[in-house]
Amino acid sequence: MSASISRVTARLRTKTIGACVQGWRHGTQTSFKPMATMVSQRTLSTSSPTKHAHHDQSKQSSSDSIYTVNKDEIAKFAAMSDEWWAPQGPFKMLHLMNPPRIRYIRNRLEASGAIPAPSSSAEAQSRARFPLQGLRILDVGCGGGLLAEALARLGAQVTGLDASMENIEMAKIHAQKDPLLNGGSPGSLEYRHQTAEKLLEQGLQFDVVCSMEVIEHVENPAGFLKVLGQLIKPNGDLILSTMSRTPLAYFLTVFSAEHMLRMVPVGTHHWSKYITPKELEAGVCDLAGCEVLNVQGIGFNPLSGQWELNRNRSEQPVGILANIGASFAESVNYFLAAKKISPSSSAPPS
């Protein structure tokens, strides 16, 4: 009996490995393309020319021809919306990633000058507790509010945006439990069931736009970057995170995390939609109109059970994973920070 079970288990494992390898091979044949080519093809295939055909061309807003929502992805995460705040649930890895995400955002905003130096001892004390005070931050694809809540607790005026009504409702319910998010601090938190392109039509802009682990799930990454860039004030900041399209990323995030270890539900990731740092840097520059200031990898340390910032291209963070070379460190999960180029700074000298 035990021998039969072993044979069945071995066959299932072989099938799983075979399917994963086949998926990786399929991805390599279709997805290793320059960012501009890849995203322009998606834009052409996902634009809705008939959707706005009844509008006069001169009256269309800059976001009319852009549609970034992938309905299958929205439905997938909406189905898990009641588990966003379960520390041991399907979003466990995001819970663990949140502290280094916040640390990265703070570090980059300080480096870019978005967080000004205090002018008095009283302001220094306030800044120590609420370092993001005075900043208007947009969190695009906020999900259940893991990042948005943390940013608001640090004093920012946060708008959380998500295309899933279920995610927004869960985020609102959870935020009601914390007095700091309901008038108990300088920060504020507002959630909107809305897409980024619809928000853009309202003419709003923010000091900082964040979109973490989202771009690999959208339908049109080129249009998405373009919209994000237009939502940032001149000289404002853009913070992104995603995963690089490398064999190692496939092995860790799809084969291991989904199929072998079941750390996240099968189907959470689509390796063919991952974007390499080089591709994302080019897209942020050309489409979002921003200057890339920093790219830094982040890796999960199985010994500590925590995420750690890897070696920066110009810095040396403390930790076991800091000894990894920069290019290798960015081969799976990574962050990117950029600053919006203001019209005055981008205009040619007269």
Side-chain angles (χ1 to χ4, degrees), residues 100 103 107 296-299 301 304 306-312 314-324:
R103 187 161 61 250
N107 289 344
Q296 187 167 356
I298 181 173
N301 184 344
S304 64
Q306 302 294 326
W307 289 90
E308 295 179 4
L309 291 171
N310 297 338
R311 170 188 281 186
N312 188 294
S314 59
E315 301 173 346
Q316 290 286 342
V318 176
I320 295 176
L321 299 181
N323 295 319
I324 299 176

Side-chain angles (χ1 to χ4, degrees), residues 85 98 101-102 105-106 109 126-139 142 144-160 171 174-176 178-191 208 210:
W85 289 94
N98 220 35
R101 286 200 302 191
I102 294 297
I105 292 172
R106 286 186 59 175
L109 293 182
S126 178
R127 287 284 180 190
R129 186 178 180 187
F130 303 111
L132 303 183
Q133 184 174 352
L135 291 177
R136 293 187 66 219
I137 299 181
L138 176 66
D139 181 12
C142 64
L146 299 183
L147 181 68
E149 282 198 9
L151 295 173
R153 291 191 189 98
L154 293 176
Q157 301 170 31
V158 180
T159 298
H174 192 270
Q176 292 173 358
D178 190 343
L180 277 179
L181 303 176
N182 295 276
S185 76
S188 63
L189 180 57
E190 175 193 11
Y191 286 116
V208 183
C210 298

Side-chain angles (χ1 to χ4, degrees), residues 131-274:
L132 303 183
Q133 184 174 352
L135 291 177
R136 293 187 66 219
I137 299 181
L138 176 66
D139 181 12
V140 180
C142 64
L146 299 183
L147 181 68
E149 282 198 9
L151 295 173
R153 291 191 189 98
L154 293 176
Q157 301 170 31
V158 180
T159 298
L161 207 66
D162 203 279
S164 165
M165 174 62 81
E166 291 84 353
N167 286 346
I168 290 297
E169 289 301 318
M170 179 54 63
K172 288 180 177 179
I173 290 172
H174 192 270
Q176 292 173 358
K177 301 177 181 179
D178 190 343
L180 277 179
L181 303 176
N182 295 276
S185 76
S188 63
L189 180 57
E190 175 193 11
Y191 286 116
R192 296 190 180 195
H193 172 223
Q194 201 171 32
T195 63
E197 49 267 34
K198 286 298 181 182
L199 185 67
L200 179 61
E201 292 177 359
Q202 301 174 22
L204 298 178
Q205 287 190 314
F206 299 82
D207 301 307
V208 183
V209 172
C210 298
S211 189
M212 316 300 279
E213 291 80 46
V214 173
I215 193 171
E216 69 270 19
H217 297 287
V218 304
E219 190 68 21
N220 175 2
F224 187 69
L225 286 175
K226 185 176 181 181
V227 170
L228 293 186
Q230 295 178 38
L231 286 167
I232 308 170
K233 291 180 179 179
N235 294 316
D237 291 84
L238 174 66
I239 308 289
L240 300 173
S241 68
T242 187
M243 289 173 278
S244 185
R245 196 178 60 257
T246 63
L248 179 60
Y250 184 89
F251 176 77
L252 292 177
T253 65
V254 179
F255 178 72
S256 297
E258 293 187 15
H259 294 275
M260 297 300 292
L261 302 177
R262 304 288 177 169
M263 297 173 71
V264 295
V266 173
T268 297
H269 303 112
H270 298 283
W271 180 80
S272 62
K273 293 184 177 182
Y274 292 3

Side-chain angles (χ1 to χ4, degrees), residues 26-72:
H26 175 72
T28 60
Q29 294 171 359
T30 60
S31 300
F32 276 97
K33 305 175 183 178
M35 176 73 169
T37 302
M38 177 180 69
V39 296
S40 64
Q41 289 181 355
R42 284 192 189 175
T43 301
L44 290 174
S45 64
T46 57
S47 295
S48 304
T50 61
K51 183 177 180 181
H52 304 283
H54 61 285
H55 290 298
D56 182 82
Q57 185 72 21
S58 62
K59 294 181 180 179
Q60 290 187 11
S61 72
S62 58
S63 64
D64 269 356
S65 61
I66 298 175
Y67 185 76
T68 66
V69 173
N70 185 310
K71 293 183 179 179
D72 291 338

